[in-house]
Amino acid sequence: MFMAGLKHMKGERVKRRNSDITWRKIVRQKELILLTIPFMIYVLIFNYVPIIGWLMAFQNYKPQDGFFGSEFVGLKWFKFLFVDNPDFIRTIRNTLAMGVINLVLSFLFAIGFAMILNEVVHKTPKKFVQTVSYLPHFLSMIIVCGILQDALSTDHGIINDFLINLHLLKQPVNFFTHKEYFWWIVGFANVWKETGWNSIIYLAAITAINPDLYEAASIDGAGRLRKMLHITLPGIKPTIFILLLINIGNVLNAGFEIQYLLSNGLVQSVSQTIDIYVLKFGISQCNYSLGTAAGIFKSVVSIILILLANAAAKAAGEERLF
């Protein structure tokens, strides 16, 4: 009993000591903690407080009645979306398809561009290409859509003229009236706009690779392509996996502006995304409950995708978020 009492007292002293150490660390780092408070408040106000608005998805919400005065209808609006409204199922298909195309193309082009740019020896042309590749990121989507319309125009658009000169087309094609082209137009527009910007993090990861590996590969007779495939690509693999996991959760954020600006009656069945659906049938018609239900669906799917992707990465022994 005496020994047990001593052990208990010793354990209590260790706990108090650990608590004191933790408190001292907090006091020593109080400046850093104070700096984080504004950001925590920002996240709380703009990311967590609006979740109260999810109540609208389970009500016949009317602004004059408020959250607690509107009629509670349960899962009525979710049933309307998935059972009574085939347009929403088509909207999910469009959003998912464009999201996957954007994800795949953006990753392939950004990684490839970073690896190729890393092989440029001379600094001046390398910096020039980098700078030029970043510029489209800072253009508004309205400007990007204007450039697209000019490039794909049937009236001396550069794409039509190029294809005609190669004898691949006999006459100009109005790409914006063909459903089969719309998803790919959106995908390559995002590639053109974001490839340079997305490549920054891969270029930073490449600089962390040990240069001795490249020298050893050169001694063994490896060319540039083999170095890229067997040193550069494996060296940035952890970065690729982390970014992939993060971006998988954004698959349903396929975009709003470019689809809304380039859409027309002929391609509406393939151009409408969930965000456009919420604007058209939720906000514009003041049916806030329907719009909130669609938004909740998108958020829940994003969370599930991140959890599944993270679990798959963990099972494969790769880098993961948590």
Side-chain angles (χ1 to χ4, degrees):
M1 292 292 292
F2 178 72
M3 294 300 295
L6 285 177
K7 289 181 179 178
H8 178 73
M9 292 173 63
K10 184 178 180 181
E12 289 295 324
R13 284 198 300 270
V14 171
K15 287 182 181 179
R16 285 196 298 269
R17 192 180 303 124
N18 290 337
S19 176
D20 291 341
I21 292 172
T22 303
W23 178 248
R24 290 195 193 105
K25 288 181 180 179
I26 293 174
V27 172
R28 282 201 304 266
Q29 299 180 14
K30 61 180 181 298
E31 293 84 1
L32 294 176
I33 295 173
L34 290 173
L35 285 173
T36 63
I37 289 176
F39 300 100
M40 294 172 65
I41 294 173
Y42 175 86
V43 171
L44 181 66
I45 293 175
F46 293 100
N47 291 78
Y48 286 94
V49 172
I51 292 178
I52 298 173
W54 280 15
L55 287 172
M56 291 188 289
F58 307 96
Q59 301 173 326
N60 278 328
Y61 177 77
K62 296 180 180 178
Q64 63 269 26
D65 296 331
F67 290 127
F68 304 104
S70 299
E71 178 190 3
F72 183 80
V73 295
L75 299 177
K76 170 187 173 182
W77 296 112
F78 292 95
K79 179 177 179 293
F80 174 80
L81 287 175
F82 297 105
V83 178
D84 304 329
N85 187 5
D87 286 343
F88 188 69
I89 303 300
R90 185 166 57 246
T91 299
I92 295 174
R93 180 205 65 183
N94 298 340
T95 307
L96 189 60
M98 283 185 274
V100 171
I101 289 173
N102 289 341
L103 179 66
V104 173
L105 292 181
S106 63
F107 263 82
L108 291 178
F109 278 84
I111 294 169
F113 180 72
M115 293 173 65
I116 292 172
L117 196 60
N118 182 62
E119 295 298 318
V120 179
V121 178
H122 300 289
K123 291 185 178 180
T124 302
K126 182 177 181 178
K127 290 182 179 179
F128 175 76
V129 172
Q130 278 185 283
T131 303
V132 171
S133 67
Y134 300 159
L135 292 179
H137 172 77
F138 300 99
L139 297 178
S140 71
M141 195 56 74
I142 294 177
I143 296 175
V144 172
C145 289
I147 294 172
L148 271 176
Q149 289 174 337
D150 288 338
L152 297 174
S153 173
T154 56
D155 186 17
H156 300 293
I158 187 173
I159 302 299
N160 272 306
D161 287 349
F162 180 72
L163 295 175
I164 290 173
N165 290 332
L166 290 178
H167 303 290
L168 296 176
L169 292 178
K170 293 182 179 179
Q171 58 184 8
V173 174
N174 190 346
F175 292 97
F176 298 108
T177 61
H178 291 75
K179 296 179 182 179
E180 61 270 22
Y181 299 144
F182 189 84
W183 292 349
W184 297 102
I185 290 173
V186 172
F188 281 103
N190 282 301
V191 165
W192 175 77
K193 189 175 187 296
E194 301 295 342
T195 292
W197 188 257
N198 291 338
S199 67
I200 294 175
I201 193 166
Y202 297 113
L203 288 168
I206 289 172
T207 59
I209 299 174
N210 190 347
D212 294 340
L213 296 175
Y214 292 101
E215 293 179 7
S218 298
I219 294 172
D220 290 338
R224 286 193 173 188
L225 182 59
R226 286 191 175 276
K227 291 178 186 177
M228 291 168 64
L229 294 177
H230 299 290
I231 298 177
T232 306
L233 195 57
I236 63 174
K237 187 173 72 170
T239 304
I240 294 173
F241 270 91
I242 292 296
L243 292 177
L244 181 61
L245 291 175
I246 294 173
N247 283 285
I248 281 177
N250 292 321
V251 165
L252 290 184
N253 293 325
F256 169 81
E257 297 96 337
I258 188 169
Q259 290 89 347
Y260 188 78
L261 293 169
L262 296 180
S263 180
N264 56 67
L266 296 174
V267 297
Q268 186 176 357
S269 61
V270 297
S271 67
Q272 182 169 272
T273 62
I274 293 177
D275 293 332
I276 295 176
Y277 183 91
V278 169
L279 173 66
K280 185 181 296 184
F281 298 101
I283 298 175
S284 297
Q285 297 183 11
C286 297
N287 192 342
Y288 303 111
S289 298
L290 180 63
T292 305
I296 289 176
F297 164 76
K298 191 172 79 167
S299 299
V300 170
V301 170
S302 297
I303 293 171
I304 292 173
L305 287 175
I306 289 178
L307 293 175
L308 291 176
N310 192 75
K314 183 179 180 181
E318 301 293 346
E319 295 290 332
R320 57 187 188 273
L321 293 175
F322 47 85

